[in-house]
Amino acid sequence: MLIAVLLGFVFSLLLVVAGKFFRGKPAILSAIIPLSLFVYFSGFINEVSGGGVIRQSFKWVPSFGVNLGFTLDGLSLLFSLMITGIGFLVFVYTSTYLKGHEYLDRFYGYLSMFMASMLGLVLSDNMISLFVFWELTSISSFFLIGFNNKSEASRKSAITALAVTGLGGMSLLAGALILGSVGGTYTISELLNSNQVIADSPYYIPIVIFMFGAAFTKSAQFPFHFWLPGSMLAPTPVSTYLHSATMVKAGIYLLMRFTPILGNTEFWNSTLLIVGAITMVYAAIHALFRKDLKGILAYSTISALGILVFLIGQGTEKALLAAALFIVVHALYKATLFLVTGIIDLQTQTRDVTVLRGLRKVMLPVAIAGFLAAISSAGIPPTVGFLGKELTYESTLALISMPVLWIALILITKILLLYAGFVAGISPFVGKLPEQFANTKKPGMLLWLPPMILAVTGIGFGIFPALVEPIVFPVVTAMGESLGNEHLKLWHGFNTVLWLSIATIAIGTVLYFILKPSQKLVESAERFEFLSPKALTTVGWAYFNKVSSLWTRIFQNGYLRNYVSTIVVFLIGLAGYSLYQTAKFDLDLSTLNEITLYEMAVVAMMFSSIFFVVFTKSRLTAVASMGVMGLSICLLFVFYSAPDLAMTQFSIDTLTVILFVLVLYRLPRYLKLSDYRTRIKDGIISLAFGSIITVLILEVLASPVDKTISKYYAENAYVLAKGKNVVNVILVDFRGSDTFMEISVLAIAAIGVYALLKLHLKETDQH
């Protein structure tokens, strides 16, 4: 499985050097990668449907309990098949859709990286590696959404998507760290044995909130949904792959994966029910007020994701089966509709459904695919969408708490989704063909064949539901539930569920014929745009920018003096508070050595040097005084039997003084850069910081000393490193890497300084 995950990354790297080959006709060869992976994962269907679970683990950071562990069970297999199967069709579709594009190879690189990231995400059995792949999906989707980087709107949409999903990524990391601490492991499969311990933990609520934050942002739940419609500015293959089958389902996967660990509690189920219900109804209503095909599909996608969250929140085996089947249903019909929309846009140069009519006459295969996808989205038999709708109604009717409310909300949602599916999949192809589209050409087979395959698959799964059972049933098993002798079938007899289905189809069809998309509807929705989460977030972002600007003007104003003062004041407050809480001031002064005349003389020299540094008007005098102060410290080291430190101090201090003199030679004689008020403030800060350090040193002297480490170095310096100077051995051998890095930093800084000294700017650039 590790090779399967890494294959997409390797192909992306290959395109860096061989990208030119994949810009022309050979571009379709890139589809071999997802196709081979689809065949590979298909080989596990029988084993997984029989109850088998395949696990692999590779050491990564074992000291922190972080390994590259992979698990292939029913849940991860379902998503792996979708990622690779739909990925294969998208790769084929792209070879024609972006034919001749100068950055086609780059697009395939981003697409491959995203595919590999999604595979790593759904196969990960370790929460930290899951987080890494989670973030990689956000980064690769950022590149895909902003692929048309010359467009400001595309760039803005990419940044918005990255900001929202990136925030969710941080939420996932926080939840994973706390969950790993409570459960005692970062391995997801091992956490299953600690679900009761986690539920009883006082950190259960924060863990769940963090996990919800990750899932809701990634899967576009209200109020974090606004990034998804904006991302529709991406090329159609991106919309198809990311926003119908893969990326937006990552949050759904997260909820399903952690349901056996965090689920089956009132907080978990109630939150998912409420958020899912709000999202599905809110987005379905919004789909009524759109005339852009991608806009309609975007909001219907959000609504479908809300249905999935709603079903997961129910928590019953019937609801989880409905969720698993609806994932397949939605991926098939929504990917088809997106691909169909892309063809329409490519051939007619418009996605405005108010002007699109009669296209069946010029692109019949596309019309057939759109029609089949539309009836599947409507849940009309014999499509697999009908099976998904029946299971959804059946599980919702079984809810104990407020079943009438929940069934009313899901019924409204399904009716509106039927309307949206008909508008996107049927409306552009019926009626009289306008003259402006009379010369529209029939698309090539590589464009219409992928959506046709998906649409026909939706019909095939509906007629032969036994074909989809080995894919969806193991999902429920992986989530800790048992289905018994459950089987999928089209006919369940005359019951409440059937009447609800009939009502959905009848009312939705009538609505389709009565309500036509129009600019008037769009404008009526725009009147309330100021109340939308996107508008409110924009206002909040504006205030955030104002606060950030104020903060920058105060703390990041370009003056090194202010930076140092801020850091020192913070340290004074932090250390002072800590010392106030813990300091005992029980140092026995009789244990200290008597102060000698030599030491008093050296301290007097230091005070005199400080006086000259602070009050002199000559830079040269200040530098010389600092040198005297450094030499005084060297003498103190000598008095206390530390000649090696004295020599080091002497060398560094002498070099520093020389450098100061060389620099000051190039500066004006003297500039008064601070007034008395600033100097008084600096003096107070300096005295406070010095006092804190003094108290800290006295506390250290009063505390018992653990000499275990020092004994280890003393005993092993000569034995292991063949050196008699313990300090030198520590720096060169025991901490050799650290010393090497310090030297490297100094070398880089020296190179930078040298480059600045040799830099000669033009007069126009100096301003």
Side-chain angles (χ1 to χ4, degrees), residues 494-735:
F494 290 98
N495 52 27
T496 305
V497 172
L498 179 63
W499 293 118
L500 286 173
S501 292
I502 293 173
T504 302
I505 297 170
I507 298 173
T509 304
V510 171
L511 182 65
Y512 168 72
F513 284 108
I514 294 177
L515 184 64
K516 299 296 182 183
S518 65
Q519 182 62 30
K520 187 177 181 181
L521 282 174
V522 175
E523 292 174 354
S524 63
E526 289 176 349
R527 296 174 188 170
F528 301 95
E529 182 65 24
F530 69 97
L531 294 175
S532 68
K534 180 180 179 180
L536 296 176
T537 303
T538 303
V539 172
W541 184 256
Y543 280 108
F544 180 80
N545 282 336
K546 289 181 180 179
V547 174
S548 299
S549 299
L550 179 62
W551 182 275
T552 302
R553 287 197 299 270
I554 296 174
F555 294 104
Q556 301 289 332
N557 48 26
Y559 288 100
L560 181 60
R561 178 179 63 217
N562 288 352
Y563 296 167
V564 174
S565 299
T566 302
I567 294 170
V568 172
V569 169
F570 178 78
L571 289 175
I572 291 171
L574 191 64
Y577 177 77
S578 179
L579 288 173
Y580 176 77
Q581 295 289 328
T582 61
K584 299 177 182 178
F585 303 103
D586 56 356
L587 176 65
D588 186 2
L589 297 179
S590 63
T591 60
L592 301 178
N593 296 331
E594 293 184 3
I595 299 176
T596 65
L597 180 62
Y598 303 107
E599 293 168 350
M600 293 177 62
V602 171
V603 171
M605 289 171 58
M606 293 175 64
F607 275 109
S608 300
S609 302
I610 294 171
F611 179 84
F612 275 100
V613 171
V614 174
F615 294 103
T616 185
K617 294 185 178 181
S618 169
R619 282 202 181 93
L620 191 58
T621 303
V623 172
S625 299
M626 290 178 64
V628 172
M629 187 167 56
L631 293 175
S632 300
I633 295 174
C634 291
L635 289 174
L636 288 177
F637 287 148
V638 172
F639 293 159
Y640 287 95
S641 303
D644 51 348
L645 290 179
M647 287 303 298
T648 304
Q649 175 73 19
F650 176 79
S651 302
I652 296 298
D653 198 77
T654 303
L655 180 61
T656 303
V657 171
I658 294 172
L659 289 174
F660 265 122
V661 171
L662 291 175
V663 171
L664 293 175
Y665 178 75
R666 295 283 186 178
L667 295 178
R669 290 185 61 188
Y670 196 79
L671 291 175
K672 189 175 181 180
L673 298 176
S674 61
D675 53 21
Y676 284 108
R677 183 180 299 176
T678 302
R679 293 187 179 188
I680 292 172
K681 180 197 72 174
D682 293 342
I684 293 172
I685 293 174
S686 302
L687 289 172
F689 189 69
S691 301
I692 291 291
I693 297 299
T694 302
V695 174
L696 185 61
I697 292 172
L698 293 175
E699 278 296 300
V700 171
L701 291 174
S703 302
V705 180
D706 184 358
K707 295 187 177 182
T708 304
I709 297 177
S710 58
K711 284 182 179 180
Y712 172 82
Y713 285 133
E715 292 171 357
N716 292 280
Y718 186 76
V719 175
L720 298 178
K722 310 302 179 185
K724 295 182 179 180
N725 189 314
V726 179
V727 175
N728 290 346
V729 169
I730 292 173
L731 293 175
V732 176
D733 291 282
F734 290 109
R735 292 182 56 196

Side-chain angles (χ1 to χ4, degrees), residues 114 118 215 218-220 227-228 241-253 301 305 330:
F114 176 81
M118 277 300 303
K218 202 80 159 183
S219 289
W227 68 267
L228 196 148
Y241 199 31
L242 274 67
H243 306 136
S244 64
T246 53
M247 178 179 168
V248 293
K249 298 274 178 55
I252 302 300
Y253 168 82
T301 296
L305 294 170
H330 180 258

Side-chain angles (χ1 to χ4, degrees), residues 280-282 284-285 288 303 307 393 405-419 504 507-508 511:
M280 67 185 187
V281 176
Y282 175 87
I285 293 174
L288 295 174
S303 181
I307 292 174
Y393 283 149
L405 172 64
W406 301 126
I407 200 66
L409 293 177
I410 194 68
L411 179 64
I412 293 171
T413 302
K414 288 291 186 179
I415 291 171
L416 297 181
L417 287 182
L418 182 149
Y419 169 84
T504 302
I507 298 173
L511 182 65

Side-chain angles (χ1 to χ4, degrees), residues 13 20 204 456 697:
L13 292 175
K20 187 177 181 181
Y204 173 76
V456 171
I697 292 172

Side-chain angles (χ1 to χ4, degrees), residues 52-70:
V53 177
I54 298 92
R55 288 193 173 92
Q56 294 179 1
S57 183
F58 304 90
K59 290 184 178 180
W60 188 16
V61 192
S63 57
F64 287 97
V66 180
N67 296 316
L68 278 175
F70 299 104

